[in-house]
Amino acid sequence: MLDATHDGVADSSLGPSVRNPGLVMSDVPADALCIGAVRRAFAAWLRILPFDDARRADVVLAVYEAMANVVDHAYLDIDGVGTMQISATYSVGLGTLDVTVADLGRWKLPVHNALRGNGLPLIMALSTSSTVDHSGTGTTVRATWSSMAPPHPEPVFH
């Protein structure tokens, strides 16, 4: 289910003038083929926010990585496909985007592979702030981006 909202009220005519736009995608299949389509829909929604292309690319990559973590880790002990929820809210007053990717699975550590294991550090590097909460009822990744801060600090050379 895809639901675009602002100020808690569903709105099918989202445009650049919407106050505090939000997006909720519920019951998203935790499937590698599905998250590509979700990534494209999320990227399209981001176009209404005052982020430059570099910041939008950071947000899309981090959210995709959080969804991929659900696919890779959350439902390894069940038959079939689990689900996840993606929610995003932009605060016009604060200039911040808060995104949550949540599942109801049980986190399973994968077999060690030197080429993997960079997802959470990548999310942390791309966002202004992020948290990961594991519990008996699932895992929730939360990340925040500021539209007022530069997307990446300029490198300092001495």
Side-chain angles (χ1 to χ4, degrees):
M1 181 176 115
L2 177 65
D3 178 27
T5 65
H6 69 90
D7 292 336
V9 178
D11 185 6
S12 61
S13 62
L14 282 177
S17 65
V18 172
R19 282 189 10 240
N20 301 326
L23 177 74
V24 175
M25 292 183 239
S26 300
D27 299 320
V28 175
D31 175 83
L33 295 176
C34 181
I35 63 174
V38 172
R39 177 180 174 265
R40 288 185 296 279
F42 186 79
W45 176 80
L46 280 175
R47 303 289 311 164
I48 68 170
L49 303 183
F51 290 119
D52 62 21
D53 289 342
R55 179 55 62 99
R56 271 193 289 274
D58 288 349
V59 173
V60 170
L61 178 56
V63 171
Y64 182 79
E65 192 60 46
M67 292 188 298
N69 279 346
V70 173
V71 171
D72 288 346
H73 303 289
Y75 297 105
L76 296 178
D77 60 347
I78 68 165
D79 292 330
V81 175
T83 61
M84 68 181 98
Q85 177 170 312
I86 298 95
S87 60
T89 303
Y90 182 75
S91 170
V92 172
L94 297 175
T96 57
L97 172 65
D98 294 305
V99 179
T100 302
V101 177
D103 66 67
L104 301 175
R106 293 182 52 213
W107 186 268
K108 295 284 188 173
L109 294 175
V111 175
H112 178 70
N113 179 334
L115 299 176
R116 300 187 48 99
N118 297 309
L120 295 177
L122 181 63
I123 293 167
M124 289 177 15
L126 294 173
S127 61
T128 305
S129 65
S130 64
T131 61
V132 179
D133 296 314
H134 300 288
S135 74
T137 60
T139 300
T140 302
V141 175
R142 290 182 182 88
T144 302
W145 288 266
S146 173
S147 62
M148 298 178 193
H152 300 287
E154 293 296 320
V156 177
F157 298 101
H158 297 281

